[in-house]
Amino acid sequence: MLNFLLRVLMFMVGLVFAASLAVAVLVLVVVWSVRNAWFRITGRPTSPWVMRFDPRGGFERFRTAGRPAAPGASDIVAARARGEAVDAPVRFDDAGDVSDAKVKPARPE
């Protein structure tokens, strides 16, 4: 009996899903018809609804994500003001400034 009720329930869920799809399609048809009628009334040519898709767009987005961004004008001015190199605004200090590492003697082999 439980198996039968489950089948009836799933059938009803399917009917509700099919009805919602039908309503969505009808809404799109009504919107398209009103749009088309408005263009005919105003005398403008009907242009299709088109979704432009460039398959290279996603590839380029991920390909260029690994590249570091070029420094902007404000980065260059700030680097010059700090006395750093403009092409790489990161200053590498001498190893003598390191305070949290201690030099260990080499092990004899």
Side-chain angles (χ1 to χ4, degrees):
M1 183 70 178
L2 185 62
N3 194 12
F4 177 71
L5 288 177
L6 184 63
R7 285 184 183 190
V8 169
L9 180 69
M10 292 305 290
F11 181 72
M12 297 242 185
V13 168
L15 285 178
V16 168
F17 181 71
S20 66
L21 283 180
V23 168
V25 168
L26 286 176
V27 167
L28 282 175
V29 166
V30 167
V31 168
W32 180 261
S33 299
V34 167
R35 180 180 179 269
N36 196 12
W38 179 255
F39 278 134
R40 285 180 187 254
I41 290 171
T42 58
R44 295 189 314 197
T46 305
S47 59
W49 282 339
V50 179
M51 186 176 103
R52 306 261 184 236
F53 177 73
D54 184 13
R56 294 174 294 180
F59 179 76
E60 287 295 319
R61 186 179 75 190
F62 286 103
R63 188 177 69 85
T64 58
R67 271 192 231 147
S74 62
D75 296 329
I76 292 172
V77 170
R80 285 183 181 159
R82 290 189 305 260
E84 298 173 353
V86 177
D87 57 346
V90 176
R91 186 182 328 184
F92 297 106
D93 295 329
D94 292 335
D97 294 342
V98 177
S99 62
D100 62 344
K102 296 180 183 170
V103 179
K104 294 182 181 178
R107 286 188 233 161
E109 292 184 35

